Amino acid sequence: MIFSTPAPYSENRLSEMLARNAEWAGQITAQDPEYFKRLSAGQSPAFTVISCCDSRADPNTLLQSNLGELFVYKNVANQAGLNDLSLQTAIQFSIDSLKVKHLLVFGHHNCGGVRIALGLHAGGAPGDWLEGVRELAHDHQLFNPASPEQANQNVDKLCELNVIQQVRLAALSPAVNAAWGRGEPVAVGGLVYSLSTGRVIDLDCTIRSRAEIDERCFSAMKAICAKYN
């Protein structure tokens, strides 16, 4: 399937999208009359994905997954805050009810939230939501770049570091630790999507026990810093 550049908004866009949906549903039903009946019977996704709201970085499309394969939670800059009750409820539901065994933090390069945190997005203010991203940028001295090229590189570097930070937080979530306490083989990992190439990259930070959290995250962040320096 070849994707085209999204057309500008018009009053007819919603009607056009609904028409495309009807066409798609008809094609699926013609190929497999029982498909939607099976899908409506329940879900058993393979992964829980914490991703960004960015319209260009949809995990289902980029990973070419089927409906029902990914349990996706989205917010600005793919944050996995321990105080985010909505997210923590989603993680608990996915592990306890859907029996998901693998969580993924799915970030992407040139993230608008990360650019706001670095003060590089006109009209944007970081607020409390992105405070952790700003602290991460301070820790890695990513403010005050020497050139526009350096600024863009810092954004992508921080996007990747942020994924590792959120993997760490996801691994500290009560539901994940409760599952580990029960002996369940739950894993937490991180991916980043390159907008310029279309490729999704595994950041090699997968955690399978509480004892691995610090070592795996430190090693992954070290590798990212070496790549960008």
Side-chain angles (χ1 to χ4, degrees), residues 9-218:
Y9 173 77
S10 71
E11 292 185 359
N12 297 325
R13 284 298 300 282
L14 179 56
S15 296
E16 293 168 357
M17 289 190 293
L18 291 174
R20 290 202 300 270
N21 167 259
E23 180 182 5
W24 167 79
Q27 291 172 348
I28 297 294
T29 302
Q31 296 171 15
D32 183 353
E34 300 298 313
Y35 176 78
F36 290 109
K37 182 182 291 186
R38 292 197 305 273
L39 197 65
S40 65
Q43 60 173 323
S44 54
F47 299 91
T48 291
V49 182
I50 303 167
S51 75
C52 184
C53 297
D54 195 297
S55 60
R56 304 163 296 176
D58 176 59
N60 284 289
T61 301
L62 298 171
L63 296 174
Q64 293 291 280
S65 60
N66 296 315
L67 293 179
E69 193 171 357
L70 304 181
F71 185 74
V72 181
Y73 185 96
K74 292 189 175 187
N75 61 39
V76 174
N78 41 270
Q79 298 294 284
L82 294 173
N83 294 324
D84 183 346
L85 180 59
S86 177
L87 170 63
Q88 295 304 320
T89 300
I91 292 175
Q92 182 177 8
F93 178 73
S94 71
I95 293 175
D96 293 352
S97 298
L98 301 179
K99 306 304 179 184
V100 171
K101 301 301 182 187
H102 204 142
L103 280 68
L104 293 169
V105 176
F106 190 103
H108 65 95
H109 288 162
N110 199 27
C111 175
V114 170
R115 295 188 71 88
I116 289 173
L118 285 170
L120 297 173
H121 195 289
D128 294 340
W129 181 258
L130 297 171
E131 185 57 34
V133 184
R134 285 182 57 82
E135 290 177 2
L136 193 60
H138 277 295
D139 291 344
H140 290 268
Q141 301 179 350
L142 296 178
F143 289 100
N144 303 314
S147 67
E149 293 76 17
Q150 182 66 55
N152 290 331
Q153 180 173 294
N154 286 356
V155 170
D156 288 349
K157 180 179 180 180
L158 185 55
C159 288
E160 296 187 20
L161 292 170
N162 176 53
V163 168
I164 306 303
Q165 181 81 324
Q166 304 315 313
V167 167
R168 181 179 186 276
L169 290 173
L172 291 171
S173 68
V176 170
N177 280 266
W180 283 336
R182 296 190 296 268
E184 297 178 15
V186 173
V188 185
L191 306 173
V192 69
Y193 166 58
S194 170
L195 287 167
S196 62
T197 68
R199 298 296 300 272
V200 177
I201 304 159
D202 187 344
L203 292 177
D204 193 23
C205 59
T206 302
I207 299 166
R208 292 182 171 84
S209 72
R210 188 177 179 92
E212 294 181 353
I213 295 175
D214 289 340
E215 179 182 354
R216 294 292 290 157
C217 291
F218 177 79

